[in-house]
Amino acid sequence: MANLGRGQGGPRRSETGGEIDLDGLGRAAEAARHWHGDQRRPTGDPYIVHLLEALEVLTRGPGVTDQAVLSAALLHDVVEDTPATVAEVEDMFGPEVAELVDWVTKPPAPGGGRQAKRAAKAAYLRRLRDAPREAMLVKLADRVSNVQTLDRMPPDFQRRYYAETLTYIVPLAEPEPWFRAWYASWRRQFAHLA
């Protein structure tokens, strides 16, 4: 699972003082598993592994306990990578989760060329600067999971993804102490890609 370094602990209470709704998280995990089906990550891992890692990063790293953020972490790729829609996410999990999923969903590129796709992705990543904090937390956890397998990807992809992470994601981590420290350590570990 995710290499979190520190911040591990037992069960946590939500920011409102209640406990995390494990049944609700189970429903989100099951919906994500259903929507992603047999999809695999570029590493060959089942897609659900990445989603569970993002959840683990949030709970064991910075200690996030907000139910909507945790549910959105499990569902963050369903609109982008499956036939699911934001409306379906909202119907099943409410408007707050749907909004967070919408913020972290990369829109389809207009046109099919590689340059159009890269430009659309850059615009999406720049837009995240205006996202609510909760959406940034989901994106930061998503990227923590993604960059841990960077050494298993082709060299040109590694360099491009490293640069993209430094340009767009690391600045989002600055106001979040745990993520700031984690990305600083990761940056040193992968400095050879600079």
Side-chain angles (χ1 to χ4, degrees):
M1 280 296 209
N3 177 14
L4 302 178
R6 58 190 168 97
Q8 298 178 10
R12 300 177 194 238
R13 298 181 69 79
S14 74
E15 293 170 7
T16 59
E19 295 204 10
I20 294 171
D21 176 7
L22 296 178
D23 289 337
L25 289 181
R27 284 191 318 276
E30 180 56 29
R33 189 201 58 74
H34 169 76
W35 276 320
H36 285 286
D38 293 334
Q39 283 182 341
R40 299 223 168 243
R41 301 284 291 169
T43 59
D45 294 333
Y47 212 97
I48 193 71
V49 171
H50 164 63
L51 305 173
L52 292 171
E53 280 182 354
L55 175 67
E56 181 186 26
V57 166
L58 288 169
T59 59
R60 294 181 70 186
V64 173
T65 56
D66 181 272
Q67 190 72 27
V69 173
L70 299 178
S71 294
L74 289 167
L75 299 164
H76 74 267
D77 280 333
V78 297
V79 173
E80 185 175 324
D81 294 334
T82 80
T85 66
V86 173
E88 289 173 308
V89 173
E90 184 171 354
D91 286 347
M92 292 179 73
F93 299 99
E96 188 177 3
V97 172
E99 180 182 1
L100 296 176
V101 170
D102 193 33
W103 268 105
V104 299
T105 297
K106 181 177 59 186
R114 186 182 317 193
Q115 291 299 357
K117 287 180 182 177
R118 287 186 182 164
K121 186 173 186 181
Y124 151 74
L125 291 169
R126 283 192 301 274
R127 181 181 76 106
L128 286 172
R129 292 181 288 206
D130 298 325
R133 175 180 180 259
E134 295 82 1
M136 287 186 198
L137 290 171
V138 172
K139 186 61 188 179
L140 290 167
D142 168 38
R143 189 57 70 110
V144 165
S145 174
N146 286 339
V147 299
Q148 290 187 89
T149 59
L150 197 54
D151 58 349
R152 294 167 57 188
M153 304 305 286
D156 62 323
F157 179 89
Q158 289 181 30
R159 286 187 294 279
R160 191 170 61 250
Y161 207 73
Y162 177 83
E164 179 184 282
T165 301
L166 292 184
T167 300
Y168 299 109
I169 303 301
V170 169
L172 299 178
E174 281 305 309
E176 303 296 335
W178 187 88
F179 281 111
R180 182 176 58 241
W182 193 94
Y183 279 103
S185 174
W186 173 82
R187 183 179 188 173
R188 287 188 300 275
Q189 180 184 353
F190 284 88
H192 63 280
L193 296 174

